[in-house]
mmCIF file of all heavy atoms in Angstrom:
data_model
loop_
_atom_site.group_PDB
_atom_site.id
_atom_site.type_symbol
_atom_site.label_atom_id
_atom_site.label_comp_id
_atom_site.label_asym_id
_atom_site.label_seq_id
_atom_site.Cartn_x
_atom_site.Cartn_y
_atom_site.Cartn_z
ATOM 1 N N ILE A 107 84.937 121.699 101.473
ATOM 2 C CA ILE A 107 85.885 121.370 100.407
ATOM 3 C C ILE A 107 85.592 119.955 99.925
ATOM 4 O O ILE A 107 85.592 119.010 100.715
ATOM 5 C CB ILE A 107 87.350 121.457 100.881
ATOM 6 C CG1 ILE A 107 87.670 122.840 101.450
ATOM 7 C CG2 ILE A 107 88.297 121.133 99.721
ATOM 8 C CD1 ILE A 107 89.066 122.954 102.037
ATOM 9 N N ASP A 108 85.318 119.815 98.641
ATOM 10 C CA ASP A 108 85.178 118.508 98.008
ATOM 11 C C ASP A 108 86.475 118.204 97.276
ATOM 12 O O ASP A 108 86.965 119.045 96.492
ATOM 13 C CB ASP A 108 84.009 118.513 97.026
ATOM 14 C CG ASP A 108 82.678 118.671 97.722
ATOM 15 O OD1 ASP A 108 82.286 119.837 97.996
ATOM 16 O OD2 ASP A 108 82.036 117.658 98.003
ATOM 17 N N LYS A 109 87.019 117.000 97.507
ATOM 18 C CA LYS A 109 88.319 116.673 96.911
ATOM 19 C C LYS A 109 88.305 115.306 96.253
ATOM 20 O O LYS A 109 87.613 114.392 96.700
ATOM 21 C CB LYS A 109 89.431 116.707 97.974
ATOM 22 C CG LYS A 109 89.826 118.103 98.415
ATOM 23 C CD LYS A 109 91.178 118.148 99.098
ATOM 24 C CE LYS A 109 91.240 117.293 100.325
ATOM 25 N NZ LYS A 109 92.502 117.486 101.064
ATOM 26 N N GLU A 110 89.114 115.198 95.212
ATOM 27 C CA GLU A 110 89.352 113.938 94.520
ATOM 28 C C GLU A 110 90.845 113.818 94.289
ATOM 29 O O GLU A 110 91.511 114.811 93.976
ATOM 30 C CB GLU A 110 88.612 113.911 93.184
ATOM 31 C CG GLU A 110 87.112 114.081 93.315
ATOM 32 C CD GLU A 110 86.459 114.487 92.013
ATOM 33 O OE1 GLU A 110 86.938 115.466 91.391
ATOM 34 O OE2 GLU A 110 85.495 113.836 91.602
ATOM 35 N N VAL A 111 91.383 112.600 94.441
ATOM 36 C CA VAL A 111 92.817 112.359 94.305
ATOM 37 C C VAL A 111 93.036 111.149 93.411
ATOM 38 O O VAL A 111 92.406 110.101 93.609
ATOM 39 C CB VAL A 111 93.486 112.105 95.673
ATOM 40 C CG1 VAL A 111 94.992 111.967 95.512
ATOM 41 C CG2 VAL A 111 93.143 113.208 96.664
ATOM 42 N N ILE A 112 93.932 111.277 92.434
ATOM 43 C CA ILE A 112 94.316 110.152 91.586
ATOM 44 C C ILE A 112 95.798 110.238 91.276
ATOM 45 O O ILE A 112 96.432 111.283 91.453
ATOM 46 C CB ILE A 112 93.529 110.109 90.251
ATOM 47 C CG1 ILE A 112 93.784 111.393 89.452
ATOM 48 C CG2 ILE A 112 92.044 109.879 90.490
ATOM 49 C CD1 ILE A 112 93.259 111.323 88.030
ATOM 50 N N ALA A 113 96.334 109.134 90.788
ATOM 51 C CA ALA A 113 97.667 109.131 90.176
ATOM 52 C C ALA A 113 97.462 109.204 88.667
ATOM 53 O O ALA A 113 96.682 108.442 88.102
ATOM 54 C CB ALA A 113 98.426 107.868 90.550
ATOM 55 N N ASP A 114 98.146 110.135 88.018
ATOM 56 C CA ASP A 114 98.046 110.255 86.567
ATOM 57 C C ASP A 114 98.623 108.990 85.931
ATOM 58 O O ASP A 114 99.796 108.674 86.142
ATOM 59 C CB ASP A 114 98.826 111.484 86.088
ATOM 60 C CG ASP A 114 98.640 111.759 84.606
ATOM 61 O OD1 ASP A 114 98.258 110.841 83.849
ATOM 62 O OD2 ASP A 114 98.897 112.904 84.187
ATOM 63 N N PRO A 115 97.839 108.237 85.144
ATOM 64 C CA PRO A 115 98.365 106.996 84.560
ATOM 65 C C PRO A 115 99.518 107.201 83.583
ATOM 66 O O PRO A 115 100.231 106.249 83.272
ATOM 67 C CB PRO A 115 97.146 106.410 83.821
ATOM 68 C CG PRO A 115 95.970 107.044 84.473
ATOM 69 C CD PRO A 115 96.417 108.419 84.846
ATOM 70 N N LEU A 116 99.724 108.442 83.109
ATOM 71 C CA LEU A 116 100.749 108.704 82.103
ATOM 72 C C LEU A 116 101.989 109.390 82.663
ATOM 73 O O LEU A 116 102.914 109.705 81.899
ATOM 74 C CB LEU A 116 100.165 109.572 80.980
ATOM 75 C CG LEU A 116 99.013 108.961 80.186
ATOM 76 C CD1 LEU A 116 98.504 109.956 79.149
ATOM 77 C CD2 LEU A 116 99.445 107.665 79.514
ATOM 78 N N ALA A 117 102.024 109.655 83.967
ATOM 79 C CA ALA A 117 103.141 110.435 84.504
ATOM 80 C C ALA A 117 103.325 110.141 85.981
ATOM 81 O O ALA A 117 102.441 109.597 86.649
ATOM 82 C CB ALA A 117 102.881 111.931 84.289
ATOM 83 N N ASP A 118 104.481 110.541 86.489
ATOM 84 C CA ASP A 118 104.780 110.405 87.916
ATOM 85 C C ASP A 118 104.220 111.621 88.649
ATOM 86 O O ASP A 118 104.953 112.441 89.224
ATOM 87 C CB ASP A 118 106.289 110.272 88.126
ATOM 88 C CG ASP A 118 106.864 109.050 87.435
ATOM 89 O OD1 ASP A 118 106.139 108.044 87.321
ATOM 90 O OD2 ASP A 118 108.025 109.115 86.986
ATOM 91 N N VAL A 119 102.908 111.725 88.612
ATOM 92 C CA VAL A 119 102.213 112.907 89.106
ATOM 93 C C VAL A 119 100.960 112.482 89.871
ATOM 94 O O VAL A 119 100.206 111.616 89.420
ATOM 95 C CB VAL A 119 101.803 113.843 87.949
ATOM 96 C CG1 VAL A 119 100.990 115.034 88.468
ATOM 97 C CG2 VAL A 119 103.037 114.343 87.198
ATOM 98 N N ILE A 120 100.749 113.105 91.026
ATOM 99 C CA ILE A 120 99.505 112.979 91.772
ATOM 100 C C ILE A 120 98.664 114.221 91.492
ATOM 101 O O ILE A 120 99.153 115.352 91.608
ATOM 102 C CB ILE A 120 99.752 112.855 93.288
ATOM 103 C CG1 ILE A 120 100.580 111.606 93.595
ATOM 104 C CG2 ILE A 120 98.442 112.842 94.055
ATOM 105 C CD1 ILE A 120 99.921 110.295 93.220
ATOM 106 N N LEU A 121 97.406 114.013 91.109
ATOM 107 C CA LEU A 121 96.487 115.104 90.840
ATOM 108 C C LEU A 121 95.453 115.189 91.959
ATOM 109 O O LEU A 121 94.866 114.176 92.348
ATOM 110 C CB LEU A 121 95.776 114.896 89.506
ATOM 111 C CG LEU A 121 96.650 115.008 88.249
ATOM 112 C CD1 LEU A 121 95.880 114.532 87.025
ATOM 113 C CD2 LEU A 121 97.133 116.437 88.059
ATOM 114 N N VAL A 122 95.248 116.395 92.454
ATOM 115 C CA VAL A 122 94.256 116.661 93.496
ATOM 116 C C VAL A 122 93.334 117.765 92.978
ATOM 117 O O VAL A 122 93.804 118.846 92.616
ATOM 118 C CB VAL A 122 94.914 117.111 94.815
ATOM 119 C CG1 VAL A 122 93.852 117.374 95.878
ATOM 120 C CG2 VAL A 122 95.925 116.081 95.306
ATOM 121 N N ARG A 123 92.053 117.481 92.935
ATOM 122 C CA ARG A 123 91.096 118.514 92.543
ATOM 123 C C ARG A 123 90.247 118.883 93.751
ATOM 124 O O ARG A 123 89.681 118.011 94.412
ATOM 125 C CB ARG A 123 90.199 118.020 91.409
ATOM 126 C CG ARG A 123 89.203 119.087 90.931
ATOM 127 C CD ARG A 123 88.648 118.778 89.563
ATOM 128 N NE ARG A 123 87.848 117.568 89.531
ATOM 129 C CZ ARG A 123 87.333 117.053 88.416
ATOM 130 N NH1 ARG A 123 87.564 117.651 87.243
ATOM 131 N NH2 ARG A 123 86.608 115.953 88.455
ATOM 132 N N ALA A 124 90.203 120.180 94.045
ATOM 133 C CA ALA A 124 89.480 120.683 95.208
ATOM 134 C C ALA A 124 88.453 121.719 94.766
ATOM 135 O O ALA A 124 88.750 122.590 93.941
ATOM 136 C CB ALA A 124 90.447 121.303 96.212
ATOM 137 N N ARG A 125 87.250 121.618 95.326
ATOM 138 C CA ARG A 125 86.192 122.594 95.062
ATOM 139 C C ARG A 125 85.763 123.205 96.388
ATOM 140 O O ARG A 125 85.461 122.487 97.347
ATOM 141 C CB ARG A 125 84.985 121.928 94.398
ATOM 142 C CG ARG A 125 85.268 121.291 93.054
ATOM 143 C CD ARG A 125 83.979 120.734 92.446
ATOM 144 N NE ARG A 125 84.236 120.010 91.196
ATOM 145 C CZ ARG A 125 84.477 118.704 91.124
ATOM 146 N NH1 ARG A 125 84.505 117.994 92.249
ATOM 147 N NH2 ARG A 125 84.689 118.122 89.968
ATOM 148 N N PHE A 126 85.732 124.519 96.435
ATOM 149 C CA PHE A 126 85.365 125.251 97.642
ATOM 150 C C PHE A 126 83.929 125.737 97.528
ATOM 151 O O PHE A 126 83.532 126.319 96.514
ATOM 152 C CB PHE A 126 86.290 126.451 97.853
ATOM 153 C CG PHE A 126 87.725 126.079 98.098
ATOM 154 C CD1 PHE A 126 88.582 125.811 97.042
ATOM 155 C CD2 PHE A 126 88.222 125.981 99.389
ATOM 156 C CE1 PHE A 126 89.907 125.456 97.260
ATOM 157 C CE2 PHE A 126 89.538 125.633 99.617
ATOM 158 C CZ PHE A 126 90.377 125.365 98.553
ATOM 159 N N THR A 127 83.150 125.506 98.580
ATOM 160 C CA THR A 127 81.767 125.968 98.625
ATOM 161 C C THR A 127 81.557 126.736 99.921
ATOM 162 O O THR A 127 81.861 126.222 101.010
ATOM 163 C CB THR A 127 80.784 124.782 98.579
ATOM 164 O OG1 THR A 127 81.013 124.032 97.383
ATOM 165 C CG2 THR A 127 79.342 125.280 98.596
ATOM 166 N N VAL A 128 81.059 127.952 99.814
ATOM 167 C CA VAL A 128 80.743 128.753 100.995
ATOM 168 C C VAL A 128 79.398 128.303 101.544
ATOM 169 O O VAL A 128 78.406 128.238 100.817
ATOM 170 C CB VAL A 128 80.715 130.248 100.654
ATOM 171 C CG1 VAL A 128 80.288 131.062 101.880
ATOM 172 C CG2 VAL A 128 82.083 130.711 100.172
ATOM 173 N N LEU A 129 79.349 127.976 102.815
ATOM 174 C CA LEU A 129 78.119 127.500 103.448
ATOM 175 C C LEU A 129 77.436 128.570 104.277
ATOM 176 O O LEU A 129 76.239 128.468 104.573
ATOM 177 C CB LEU A 129 78.424 126.290 104.338
ATOM 178 C CG LEU A 129 79.051 125.083 103.645
ATOM 179 C CD1 LEU A 129 79.341 123.991 104.660
ATOM 180 C CD2 LEU A 129 78.155 124.554 102.534
#
Side-chain angles (χ1 to χ4, degrees):
I107 304 175
D108 293 85
K109 286 198 300 187
E110 301 162 309
V111 184
I112 60 169
D114 186 339
L116 298 178
D118 299 329
V119 176
I120 299 297
L121 292 170
V122 180
R123 182 161 65 185
R125 299 183 185 91
F126 296 83
T127 302
V128 176
L129 301 178

